[in-house]
Amino acid sequence: MSNTDTMANRWTRFQNRLYARLCQRRKAVSGFVGQPEPRTVGSFARGRQLVAGNLLFAGYLVEADDTDLWDVVAPSLDFDDERHGFVWLDDLAAVGDMRAREKAQRWVWGWIDAHGRGKGPGWAPDLTGRRVMRWINHAVFLLRGVDEAQSKAFFRSLSQQTWFLSKRWTAATPGLPRFEALAGLVQAGLALEGQEQMADPALRALARECERQIDAEGGIPTRNPEELLEVFTLLSWTSAALSEVGRGTPASQTEAIKRIAPTLRNLRHADGALARFHGGGRGLEGRLDQALAQSGVKPQQHSDLSMGYARLAASRTTVLVDASAPPKGAASYNAHASTLAFELTSGRRPLIVNCGSGGSFGQDWRRAGRATPSHSTLCVDGYSSARLAEVAKGSSQEALVDGPRDVPVDFEDAFEGTRFMVGHDGYNKVFGLTHARTLELRFDGRELEGEDILLTATDKAKRQFDRAMDGAGLKGIAFDIRFHLHPDVDAALDLGGAAVSMALKSGEIWVFRHDRVGKLSVEPSVYLEKGRLKPRATKQIVLSGRAMEYATRIRWTLSKAQDTAYAVRDTHRDEPVFD
């Protein structure tokens, strides 16, 4: 990170602290315009853990049964962000009993006492917007049984945070952080008595952000499916808040919701979860269905790419493919080198996955999760199809550079299914090679036929390939095609090394076969999942070989066995590190 960026971040934090102190002059509002309704749905299980004193934030578990939340020393900045964002309030409200309410009240008024006067890291626009929305959503839950002094302190703090948002939302990073800040400001302006003047400017700003950040196809620059869901949810909540006070939603926001809804539908698997690409997870259970239902946007046919992803679906099988270049510039700070990677889900069971985002497990896991070998695609000689730029040690702001520039795609109807063809030139600069991938999903959803080709597309590329061959001592350019498996899949290599059988918990058996070009193996892998203490152990199918000529072709199939006679020969696998 440059000195200029460091100075800019310091100035932003100074400004936040300044306005956080200035907001203390604001008077308390008298109450709500109407009774707020909770819009967020939390996790009952996670809420029970919080009640028991187990704080699991950003991958860190802190046992704090007798320690107040704000007295806990944060093990990381992400831990601090999670507790100051108050998303955990959704989980305590999901439990909803007396113990959960008492803990929520203690922590909310504890924040007011410890940080309400403008102190601490929680005074950032996105965290403040996130926090304000939760306080309003769960106000009935929080205010039950409190005395007049506590009630006044609650509304005084809401008034101060709303004023802070009105002055500092522009400092939020464009994208999800700015949507969070503006959505919090709009909902506070609509819900709090005497704050109506805050709502209209925020609504106009939110409409402008919809026009700037959400493209014509309903995508966002980061290409993160889970982040798109969060933006969509914020816009839907804001529309619902406007409707409750008898106001219409601005046209730009309405159009953005209509564009995003079909894109999200095309980014989810048969089990209802989102594809895990570019730092995104599967999404909170039920959040996507709830947001789509609230939007009122009806399903529609879609045969093109959605936010740069291709979707093949037949019967109960879905395949989602990253079919575009990685995000560029600031949007690439959480992007992955995943071009041409795919995921496959059969019914309610994920089969082929990507390792996922390792951000909650530290910088080393974060970097590993972003690399091409952590995705279900072809990797040349251990290189990623895009590399991370060099930045200051310990920084998380690492943009992807030198990635694929040309990613041609084509859909066509095949005799027995739908065929999708895609390629990228991410290895052309070093090896002179273009990776082309063809995927054909049968109409019954029982077989995915794949073909990976490494080829030199031009005379210049051939000369580069020749130089790479010389550097390899004419032994060929090594490649690996990886198929990462979900931890719930049991996989075993057959005795002849020609196939791998995979058993799902549903009882289905899938079989991987190839055309004997290269060596087939089953190797250890990891599944990186938010909300866990450690990565989960799993396996991956690896098809390895060497490119010796200007064109190398590898064919493979993933097919569902007709019955369970094709038994898994060895169902033993390493247990998850943490489950």
Side-chain angles (χ1 to χ4, degrees):
M1 185 181 295
S2 68
N3 290 333
T4 303
D5 290 335
T6 303
M7 290 299 294
N9 289 336
R10 289 174 180 171
W11 175 249
T12 297
R13 290 193 293 270
F14 170 76
Q15 291 283 88
N16 287 342
R17 290 194 297 270
L18 174 62
Y19 279 94
R21 289 195 295 269
L22 290 175
C23 77
Q24 303 306 305
R25 304 174 183 177
R26 305 296 296 179
K27 295 181 179 179
V29 294
S30 56
F32 292 112
V33 173
Q35 180 170 303
E37 293 292 335
R39 307 188 195 284
T40 47
V41 179
S43 165
F44 178 84
R46 185 177 166 90
R48 290 290 297 272
Q49 290 296 315
L50 290 170
V51 172
N54 299 318
L55 312 179
L56 180 56
F57 297 145
Y60 292 90
L61 177 63
V62 177
E63 296 182 3
D65 188 26
D66 299 324
T67 306
D68 188 83
L69 176 62
W70 311 110
D71 292 333
V72 171
V73 178
S76 74
L77 292 176
D78 290 337
F79 184 100
D80 237 355
D81 286 350
E82 278 205 34
R83 64 174 171 176
H84 280 278
F86 276 73
V87 175
W88 47 262
L89 195 53
D90 297 339
D91 304 322
L92 290 176
V95 177
D97 61 15
M98 184 177 297
R99 289 183 64 201
R101 184 186 305 112
E102 288 175 351
K103 180 143 285 190
Q105 290 171 338
R106 186 162 69 250
W107 287 355
V108 167
W109 274 272
W111 186 91
I112 294 172
D113 291 340
H115 303 287
R117 294 180 178 84
K119 298 179 181 179
W123 289 93
D126 55 331
L127 295 179
T128 304
R130 203 181 304 166
R131 182 170 58 246
V132 163
M133 282 187 285
R134 265 64 189 189
W135 286 21
I136 294 173
N137 283 346
H138 303 299
V140 174
F141 173 68
L142 290 170
L143 293 172
R144 183 174 300 173
V146 303
D147 57 33
E148 184 178 356
Q150 289 176 307
S151 179
K152 285 184 177 180
F154 179 80
F155 283 108
R156 183 185 305 111
S157 184
L158 271 179
S159 175
Q160 292 166 350
Q161 293 178 69
T162 301
W163 184 85
F164 173 85
L165 282 173
S166 72
K167 301 298 182 183
R168 295 300 295 158
W169 69 262
T170 54
T173 304
L176 178 58
R178 187 167 291 180
F179 278 110
E180 286 184 310
L182 285 169
L185 179 55
V186 169
Q187 293 190 45
L190 296 173
L192 297 171
E193 289 184 353
Q195 300 294 308
E196 295 84 356
Q197 75 280 4
M198 301 286 191
D200 286 336
L203 278 169
R204 290 192 292 270
L206 188 61
R208 290 194 297 271
E209 290 302 308
C210 288
E211 295 171 353
R212 292 170 182 167
Q213 295 294 320
I214 301 167
D215 62 28
E217 286 73 40
I220 54 177
T222 61
R223 299 190 55 232
N224 180 330
E226 187 176 27
E227 193 170 296
L228 180 65
L229 171 59
E230 293 301 317
V231 170
F232 182 71
T233 301
L234 291 170
L235 296 178
S236 297
W237 288 346
T238 305
S239 292
L242 286 165
S243 178
E244 287 176 1
V245 296
R247 297 184 57 174
T249 303
S252 295
Q253 184 174 330
T254 300
E255 290 303 314
I257 291 173
K258 290 180 179 179
R259 295 196 303 273
I260 295 174
T263 297
L264 282 173
R265 284 192 170 98
N266 280 304
L267 294 179
R268 65 176 177 175
H269 282 290
D271 63 348
L274 289 168
R276 300 165 75 244
F277 286 99
H278 294 294
R282 292 167 57 83
L284 291 175
E285 188 173 354
R287 172 69 62 82
L288 179 54
D289 288 332
Q290 180 190 27
L292 289 171
Q294 288 179 345
S295 73
V297 181
K298 296 180 179 180
Q300 53 189 272
Q301 293 292 328
H302 197 289
S303 59
D304 204 352
L305 298 186
S306 297
M307 202 166 72
Y309 300 96
R311 186 177 195 265
L312 306 177
S315 187
R316 300 169 63 248
T317 303
T318 50
V319 178
L320 281 157
V321 190
D322 185 352
S324 294
K328 295 179 174 59
S332 73
Y333 288 143
N334 287 312
H336 289 204
S338 58
T339 307
L340 273 58
F342 78 96
E343 293 188 323
L344 184 151
T345 296
S346 178
R348 304 292 297 178
R349 299 293 176 180
L351 176 61
I352 306 298
V353 297
N354 297 307
C355 290
S357 172
S360 61
F361 307 120
Q363 287 303 311
D364 290 341
W365 278 113
R366 183 174 183 272
R367 289 178 64 91
R370 299 175 72 183
T372 299
S374 295
H375 300 83
S376 294
T377 187
L378 181 146
C379 179
V380 176
D381 201 26
Y383 281 73
S384 285
S385 56
R387 69 178 180 86
L388 291 173
E390 295 296 328
V391 296
K393 184 178 180 180
S395 172
S396 62
Q397 299 296 297
E398 297 174 294
L400 285 181
V401 296
D402 292 341
R405 298 181 180 180
D406 186 21
V407 187
V409 301
D410 190 24
F411 287 90
E412 67 178 30
D413 293 330
F415 179 70
E416 293 185 322
T418 301
R419 182 180 297 132
F420 175 66
M421 294 165 286
V422 59
H424 79 77
D425 59 354
Y427 298 114
N428 188 61
K429 184 177 180 180
V430 177
F431 301 101
L433 292 170
T434 294
H435 175 206
R437 167 166 273 185
T438 299
L439 300 173
E440 183 176 328
L441 182 64
R442 261 177 32 183
F443 288 131
D444 60 6
R446 299 185 67 88
E447 181 174 277
L448 177 69
E449 188 174 311
E451 179 183 79
D452 287 290
I453 301 175
L454 286 172
L455 58 93
T456 52
T458 64
D459 290 340
K460 181 180 179 181
K462 290 178 180 179
R463 292 191 295 271
Q464 182 61 38
F465 177 79
D466 290 339
R467 287 192 289 268
M469 282 287 286
D470 291 339
L474 300 180
K475 294 180 180 180
I477 307 302
F479 66 83
D480 298 299
I481 307 175
R482 301 177 185 273
F483 304 84
H484 294 275
L485 304 177
H486 189 272
D488 291 338
V489 176
D490 284 316
L493 185 67
D494 75 0
L495 296 178
V500 176
S501 57
M502 295 157 284
L504 279 62
K505 285 193 172 181
S506 62
E508 290 182 357
I509 303 291
W510 283 74
V511 183
F512 177 89
R513 296 184 177 89
H514 69 111
D515 61 0
R516 302 295 183 120
V517 175
K519 177 186 176 182
L520 183 63
S521 61
V522 175
E523 301 178 4
S525 181
V526 291
Y527 188 75
L528 305 172
E529 191 173 14
K530 297 176 183 177
R532 289 183 175 268
L533 289 178
K534 296 180 181 179
R536 297 175 69 185
T538 185
K539 292 183 179 180
Q540 59 178 315
I541 299 170
V542 183
L543 189 54
S544 303
R546 287 184 173 273
M548 303 292 295
E549 302 174 350
Y550 292 145
T552 302
R553 185 190 308 268
I554 310 98
R555 293 188 177 96
W556 49 267
T557 59
L558 278 163
S559 55
K560 189 187 300 187
Q562 293 297 326
D563 52 44
T564 57
Y566 195 102
V568 177
R569 289 169 170 78
D570 179 11
T571 58
H572 173 76
R573 64 179 172 89
D574 295 335
E575 292 302 316
V577 177
F578 174 79
D579 195 357

